[in-house]
Coordinates of all heavy atoms in Angstrom, one line a residue:
I97 N -10.1 32.9 3.7 CA -9.1 33.9 3.6 C -9.5 35.1 2.7 O -9.3 36.3 3.1 CB -7.7 33.4 3.2 CG1 -7.2 32.3 4.2 CG2 -6.7 34.5 3.0 CD1 -6.9 32.9 5.6
V98 N -10.0 34.8 1.5 CA -10.3 35.9 0.6 C -11.5 36.7 1.2 O -11.5 38.0 1.1 CB -10.7 35.3 -0.8 CG1 -11.2 36.4 -1.7 CG2 -9.5 34.7 -1.4
E99 N -12.5 36.0 1.8 CA -13.6 36.8 2.4 C -13.1 37.6 3.5 O -13.5 38.8 3.7 CB -14.7 35.8 2.9 CG -15.4 35.0 1.8 CD -16.3 34.0 2.5 OE1 -17.4 34.4 2.9 OE2 -15.9 32.8 2.5
G100 N -12.2 37.1 4.3 CA -11.7 37.8 5.5 C -10.9 39.0 5.0 O -10.9 40.1 5.7
D101 N -10.1 38.9 3.9 CA -9.3 40.0 3.4 C -10.3 41.1 3.0 O -10.0 42.3 3.3 CB -8.5 39.5 2.2 CG -7.7 40.6 1.6 OD1 -6.7 41.0 2.1 OD2 -8.2 41.1 0.5
R102 N -11.4 40.8 2.4 CA -12.3 41.8 1.9 C -12.9 42.5 3.1 O -13.1 43.8 3.1 CB -13.4 41.2 1.1 CG -13.0 40.7 -0.3 CD -14.0 39.9 -1.0 NE -13.6 39.4 -2.2 CZ -14.1 38.3 -2.9 NH1 -15.1 37.7 -2.3 NH2 -13.6 38.0 -4.0
I103 N -13.2 41.8 4.2 CA -13.8 42.4 5.4 C -12.8 43.4 6.0 O -13.1 44.5 6.4 CB -14.2 41.3 6.4 CG1 -15.4 40.5 5.9 CG2 -14.5 41.9 7.8 CD1 -15.7 39.3 6.7
A104 N -11.5 42.9 6.1 CA -10.5 43.7 6.7 C -10.2 45.0 6.0 O -9.9 46.0 6.6 CB -9.2 42.9 6.9
R105 N -10.4 44.9 4.6 CA -10.1 46.1 3.8 C -11.3 47.1 3.7 O -11.1 48.2 3.3 CB -9.7 45.7 2.4 CG -8.4 44.9 2.3 CD -8.2 44.4 0.9 NE -7.0 43.6 0.7 CZ -5.8 44.1 0.4 NH1 -5.7 45.4 0.2 NH2 -4.7 43.3 0.3
D106 N -12.5 46.5 3.9 CA -13.7 47.3 3.6 C -13.8 48.6 4.5 O -13.7 48.5 5.7 CB -14.9 46.4 3.9 CG -16.2 47.0 3.4 OD1 -16.3 48.3 3.3 OD2 -17.2 46.3 3.2
P107 N -13.9 49.8 3.8 CA -13.9 51.0 4.6 C -15.1 51.1 5.6 O -15.0 51.8 6.6 CB -14.1 52.1 3.5 CG -13.6 51.5 2.3 CD -14.0 50.0 2.4
S108 N -16.1 50.3 5.4 CA -17.3 50.3 6.3 C -17.1 49.4 7.5 O -17.9 49.4 8.5 CB -18.6 49.9 5.6 OG -18.5 48.5 5.2
T109 N -16.0 48.6 7.6 CA -15.7 47.7 8.7 C -15.2 48.5 9.9 O -14.1 49.0 9.8 CB -14.7 46.6 8.3 OG1 -15.3 45.8 7.3 CG2 -14.4 45.7 9.5
Y112 N -14.5 43.8 13.9 CA -14.4 42.5 13.2 C -15.5 41.6 13.6 O -16.1 41.7 14.7 CB -13.0 41.9 13.5 CG -11.9 42.5 12.7 CD1 -10.6 42.3 13.1 CD2 -12.1 43.3 11.6 CE1 -9.5 42.9 12.4 CE2 -11.1 43.8 10.9 CZ -9.8 43.6 11.3 OH -8.7 44.2 10.6
P113 N -15.9 40.6 12.7 CA -17.1 39.8 12.9 C -17.0 38.8 14.1 O -18.0 38.4 14.6 CB -17.3 39.1 11.6 CG -16.0 39.1 10.9 CD -15.3 40.4 11.4

Side-chain angles (χ1 to χ4, degrees):
I97 296 298
V98 173
E99 293 175 79
D101 178 78
R102 290 171 182 157
I103 291 170
R105 292 173 184 271
D106 191 333
S108 67
T109 297
Y112 282 163

